[in-house]
Amino acid sequence: MFKKKALRINTYLGYGTKNHFHAKGRALEDENVSFDPNQKIFKTLKNIYKQLESDEIRDAGIELKLSNGKSYETISDKEGYYHFDIEISELENLANDKGWLPYVISYKSNHFSRKISHNNIFPGNMLIPSDDAEFGIISDIDDTILHTGVASLFKWRVIANTIFKNFDKRLPTEGMVHFYKKLHLGKNKIPLNPFFYVSNSPWNLYDYLSAFFKKNHFPQGPILLRDFRTPFDKTPKPKIPHKQSEILNLLHMYPDMNFILIGDSGEKDADIYIKIAKEHPGRILAIYLRNVNHRRKEKRIKRLIASYNSSPILLVQTSDQAINHARKNGFIH
């Protein structure tokens, strides 16, 4: 009962450049969470509870090891997160043919008397987009590619779907996998265009969302979530919305890359995307917004679209509409 749990590290898919390593993760107690297909509701409930109730390891020594033998160190913060944001030359030589750079994260084990899972070896990957990429794609998750119900009253459907449905029972929005695969291939029909997924969901749900993405064969890409705030959280609230901040980080990281933004009409995607497009003229090739069939929200989005003309923007009912538009604009074959 009083035995201390083993430790683990969650590594999140990162993104960087040939000379800039940028990745994060989290030091946690090991709750032995596993997401398996066809598991019972009770196990799903138990897994979600364990993820949301996760116990972080603060002030932990964290070591990054690259395949060339070089290593770097940092310290986890009070929420258990670690961040590597360092200049390292010729990283492209360590990446595979798809642009993914493998690395290993470990605890500085001499700081701990507790057991560390997986022999203290936690693999991670960081994406280095190809110079031949035609554009990048930044996509929302909730109600854009995953049915969640963010527009429902008090967001009750979001809660119910997340807690009571295993990842393999969750439905992707119709046709979006097909559309995303076409965008990944682009006009040149080569799978080089990088994907980045942004959501207001907490990092606690990273493994759950990763399992959903893999099961439904979405193009692989970093999943950029946010810290789980509680009513008792005393840390300052971010000055700008999470999605906006993440997109701006990507625009800064890749100044020579233009992007397609994909979201839905349920929350503030249109407001954020249009603001970014206006502030960064020429960088946003198109904006696609999936209609969540909420009459009041749809009217507001249509008014926003009518007042914006900096780049193509489309409110779509089906993925076929988006595919046809992308083809006409030369984004896909």
Side-chain angles (χ1 to χ4, degrees), residues 150-165:
V150 292
S152 62
L153 185 62
F154 304 124
K155 299 187 179 181
W156 68 268
R157 288 182 182 172
V158 177
I159 299 170
N161 284 329
T162 302
I163 293 177
F164 295 106
K165 287 187 177 181

Side-chain angles (χ1 to χ4, degrees), residues 103-167:
Y103 60 89
V104 170
I105 295 291
S106 302
Y107 283 103
K108 296 292 291 181
S109 56
N110 56 306
H111 295 302
F112 296 96
S113 59
R114 295 165 65 175
K115 179 182 178 181
I116 302 176
S117 300
H118 305 292
N119 296 315
N120 199 23
I121 297 174
F122 301 92
N125 280 280
M126 187 195 80
L127 177 64
I128 303 176
S130 170
D131 289 337
D132 296 324
E134 301 166 74
F135 50 81
I137 303 96
I138 303 173
S139 171
D140 175 48
I141 296 176
D142 306 321
D143 274 341
T144 298
I145 59 178
L146 169 63
H147 283 293
T148 57
V150 292
S152 62
L153 185 62
F154 304 124
K155 299 187 179 181
W156 68 268
R157 288 182 182 172
V158 177
I159 299 170
N161 284 329
T162 302
I163 293 177
F164 295 106
K165 287 187 177 181
N166 196 37
F167 75 92

Side-chain angles (χ1 to χ4, degrees), residues 16-250:
T17 70
K18 296 177 180 179
N19 301 301
H20 192 144
F21 187 94
H22 176 79
K24 69 181 293 183
R26 199 176 190 190
L28 298 163
E29 288 189 343
D30 193 347
E31 300 286 352
N32 292 314
V33 174
S34 62
F35 288 100
D36 304 310
N38 301 312
Q39 66 186 19
K40 303 296 183 181
I41 290 179
F42 177 76
K43 186 175 181 181
T44 299
L45 283 167
K46 187 177 180 180
N47 283 342
I48 295 297
Y49 171 77
K50 285 183 175 181
Q51 286 198 300
L52 294 177
E53 188 271 335
S54 61
D55 294 307
E56 64 276 358
I57 307 300
R58 61 174 62 191
D59 301 323
I62 303 293
E63 184 177 22
L64 159 70
K65 295 179 182 178
L66 300 179
S67 60
N68 61 2
K70 292 184 178 180
S71 64
Y72 306 84
E73 295 180 13
T74 191
I75 303 293
S76 64
D77 64 20
K78 64 180 181 180
E79 296 294 333
Y81 296 103
Y82 66 82
H83 305 261
F84 284 101
D85 195 36
I86 47 183
E87 298 297 321
I88 306 174
S89 61
E90 300 180 345
L91 286 171
E92 73 276 14
N93 296 332
L94 307 179
N96 63 23
D97 58 357
K98 294 182 179 179
W100 289 101
L101 183 154
Y103 60 89
V104 170
I105 295 291
S106 302
Y107 283 103
K108 296 292 291 181
S109 56
N110 56 306
H111 295 302
F112 296 96
S113 59
R114 295 165 65 175
K115 179 182 178 181
I116 302 176
S117 300
H118 305 292
N119 296 315
N120 199 23
I121 297 174
F122 301 92
N125 280 280
M126 187 195 80
L127 177 64
I128 303 176
S130 170
D131 289 337
D132 296 324
E134 301 166 74
F135 50 81
I137 303 96
I138 303 173
S139 171
D140 175 48
I141 296 176
D142 306 321
D143 274 341
T144 298
I145 59 178
L146 169 63
H147 283 293
T148 57
V150 292
S152 62
L153 185 62
F154 304 124
K155 299 187 179 181
W156 68 268
R157 288 182 182 172
V158 177
I159 299 170
N161 284 329
T162 302
I163 293 177
F164 295 106
K165 287 187 177 181
N166 196 37
F167 75 92
D168 60 328
K169 300 297 189 297
R170 301 296 295 276
L171 297 175
T173 52
E174 185 178 0
M176 293 303 278
V177 175
H178 181 57
F179 179 39
Y180 280 31
K181 286 182 177 180
K182 283 186 171 294
L183 289 173
H184 188 43
L185 292 169
K187 192 173 183 179
N188 294 327
K189 301 181 72 174
I190 303 173
L192 295 177
N193 297 332
F195 266 82
F196 307 89
Y197 301 96
V198 183
S199 171
N200 284 327
S201 294
W203 285 108
N204 306 61
L205 297 181
Y206 184 87
D207 292 339
Y208 181 94
L209 291 172
S210 294
F212 167 82
F213 275 52
K214 185 176 180 180
K215 189 256 181 184
N216 290 285
H217 306 291
F218 278 97
Q220 188 178 30
I223 303 172
L224 309 174
L225 308 178
R226 65 175 180 174
D227 192 22
F228 183 60
R229 293 183 65 88
T230 70
F232 310 103
D233 199 327
K234 295 181 180 180
T235 57
K237 288 185 178 181
K239 294 182 179 179
I240 62 175
H242 165 70
K243 289 181 184 178
Q244 183 177 344
S245 175
E246 293 292 356
I247 295 171
L248 292 176
N249 289 341
L250 289 164

